[in-house]
Structure formats: structure tokens, C-alpha cells
């Protein structure tokens, strides 16, 4: 059984290949999805943690860190392990960032690895995906429409590779990917345009 922990990856909300793709690439193995919240059913979560051969956390990264609710969840898991709960599944991470380079998730990845050390959970592999806003931007008209299929493929292929590690229950070297078909300069330019539009809309609402 694969336990998929939704740590809040709103920038990847349209990326349907994340959860569904992991299950498909894992050859239909049972996947239980749990959204990390402060009021979770902890008894059920503990049972899932005990039974899962793989634990997959998907989350956005902001300012080099995963959401605070994810950190609180990890602390609680660590305390449960100290209290005697058995967690034998390997831990895999899928981290998204709005920044262009997937490597920008490396600090958050290190935090998760540190958690695994303290909770005595085996680290499987981490995947850091940059340019998570690309999918939103390329829907609009303009030259980016030509990149639609290729940009989507860079995420799908990376997730497929991650799923293979999960399915085989093996460890691997952490990987970081970015939308190479779109230049970093163009990506930042479009992101800045989006931010200006959002700010103008907020100012208009407050007037």
C-alpha cells in the first residue's frame, strides 16, 4: 500500500499526473490519499503509516520550507515513533516550487531527510519540480502555447521515474527538474506580469 500525503500543493492543483499518475505508474497498487490538516483522524493515520510500504509526501515549497502544517505533522509522527509506533515504509518526497529551478527545493528536502533520521524512517528519494506556475501561464494565448505538450511532459516523465522507485521500494539519488523548453528569463517575465495583474486587481477591490 502507498500512503499519499497531500501537504498542500496548490500551485500544482492542475497537475493531475501527481497523485493519479503515481498510482498508475505503480501498476494499480492500492493508494490511500490523506490531506494533512491539524484536525486529522490520527488513529487512522497511524494505521496507514504502519501498513504502508511507501509514504509519499507532495507539497509546495515557500521560502525554503514546506507548509507549517506539514512540519507539525512530521513532529507528531516523530513523537509517535518514539512512543512505539512502527513505521517500516520508505519515505519519498515530491516538492514543487514557483521558482524556475527545481534545486530551490533542496533546503526543504534536507529538512525532510532530517525528519527521517530522527523518526528512524528510511529515506527513499526526493523529487524537486521547478516552474510549477508554467502550467497556468501556458494556457493563455501567445508563444507559450507551443510549449504546452512539452512542458507538461517534463513533469510527467519525472513523476513516472519517481513512481518506479516507489513501486520497487528502492532508494535513489534525489532529482531536480525544471521546464527547460521555456527559458528562465521568459518564465520570470511571465511570472512578474501575473503578479502585477494580481496586485492591480487587489488595489481595485480595495478602492
Amino acid at each position: 500500500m502507498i500512503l499519499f500525503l497531500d501537504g498542500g500543493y496548490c500551485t500544482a492543483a492542475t497537475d493531475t499526473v501527481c497523485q493519479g499518475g503515481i498510482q498508475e505508474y505503480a501498476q494499480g497498487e492500492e493508494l490511500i490519499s490523506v490531506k494533512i490538516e491539524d484536525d486529522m483522524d490520527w488513529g487512522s493515520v497511524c494505521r496507514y503509516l504502519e501498513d504502508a510500504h511507501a509514504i509519499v509526501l507532495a507539497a509546495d515549497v515557500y521560502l525554503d520550507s514546506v507548509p507549517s502544517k506539514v512540519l507539525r505533522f512530521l513532529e507528531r509522527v516523530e513523537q509517535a515513533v518514539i512512543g512505539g509506533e512502527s513505521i517500516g515504509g520508505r519515505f519519498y518526497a515530491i516538492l514543487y516550487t514557483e521558482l524556475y529551478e527545481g534545486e530551490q527545493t533542496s533546503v526543504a528536502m534536507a529538512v525532510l531527510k532530517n525528519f527521517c533520521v530522527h523518526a528512524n524512517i528510511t529515506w527513499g528519494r526526493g523529487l524537486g519540480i521547478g516552474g510549477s506556475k508554467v502550467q497556468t501561464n501556458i494556457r493563455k494565448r501567445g508563444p507559450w502555447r507551443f510549449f504546452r505538450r512539452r512542458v507538461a511532459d517534463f513533469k510527467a516523465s519525472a513523476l513516472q521515474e519517481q513512481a518506479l522507485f516507489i513501486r520497487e521500494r528502492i532508494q535513489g539519488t534525489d532529482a531536480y527538474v525544471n521546464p527547460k523548453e521555456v527559458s528562465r528569463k521568459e518564465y520570470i517575465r511571465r511570472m512578474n506580469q501575473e503578479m502585477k495583474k494580481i496586485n492591480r486587481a487587489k488595489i481595485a477591490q480595495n478602492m
Side-chain angles (χ1 to χ4, degrees):
M1 184 262 283
I2 299 172
L3 176 60
F4 185 93
L5 298 172
D6 179 354
Y9 55 115
C10 59
T11 58
T14 58
D15 191 359
T16 57
V17 295
C18 188
Q19 181 178 330
I22 290 293
Q23 186 171 26
E24 177 185 353
Y25 300 141
Q27 296 183 341
E29 183 169 353
E30 180 185 11
L31 183 146
I32 295 179
S33 178
V34 173
K35 188 172 180 62
I36 295 178
E37 301 286 359
D38 290 329
D39 58 348
M40 300 170 64
D41 180 353
W42 188 247
S44 296
V45 171
C46 283
R47 289 193 295 272
Y48 295 148
L49 288 170
E50 289 179 348
D51 296 340
H53 80 260
I55 302 163
V56 183
L57 170 67
D60 278 340
V61 172
Y62 298 106
L63 300 176
D64 291 334
S65 181
V66 293
S68 57
K69 63 182 179 181
V70 174
L71 295 177
R72 290 193 294 272
F73 172 80
L74 297 179
E75 290 177 359
R76 193 167 182 180
V77 171
E78 186 176 333
Q79 291 301 316
V81 173
I82 294 174
E85 299 290 348
S86 175
I87 301 177
R90 297 199 173 189
F91 194 97
Y92 299 85
I94 302 172
L95 301 181
Y96 292 84
T97 177
E98 293 182 5
L99 299 176
Y100 184 78
E101 300 85 359
E103 288 82 357
Q104 297 290 345
T105 64
S106 60
V107 174
M109 203 79 75
V111 171
L112 297 179
K113 289 182 178 181
N114 188 58
F115 153 74
C116 287
V117 170
H118 286 86
N120 196 28
I121 300 175
T122 302
W123 176 261
R125 184 177 186 259
L127 172 63
I129 300 178
S132 60
K133 282 290 190 180
V134 164
Q135 196 68 25
T136 300
N137 290 334
I138 61 177
R139 289 176 176 174
K140 301 183 178 181
R141 293 181 179 179
W144 275 38
R145 68 181 183 276
F146 298 113
F147 296 117
R148 182 176 288 108
R149 180 173 296 178
R150 296 173 69 190
V151 168
D153 286 347
F154 98 92
K155 292 182 182 178
S157 59
L159 286 167
Q160 181 177 12
E161 183 182 34
Q162 183 77 338
L164 292 175
F165 281 91
I166 295 169
R167 187 186 70 195
E168 300 300 327
R169 312 179 190 187
I170 58 177
Q171 292 176 287
T173 303
D174 300 334
Y176 302 95
V177 296
N178 57 280
K180 295 179 181 178
E181 288 79 8
V182 179
S183 72
R184 184 177 187 275
K185 181 178 180 180
E186 177 67 9
Y187 179 74
I188 293 175
R189 185 179 72 81
R190 294 301 296 265
M191 286 291 294
N192 288 338
Q193 288 178 346
E194 291 296 317
M195 186 59 66
K196 289 178 181 178
K197 290 180 181 179
I198 293 173
N199 290 337
R200 285 197 295 267
K202 289 181 179 179
I203 292 173
Q205 291 176 355
N206 294 330
M207 291 181 64

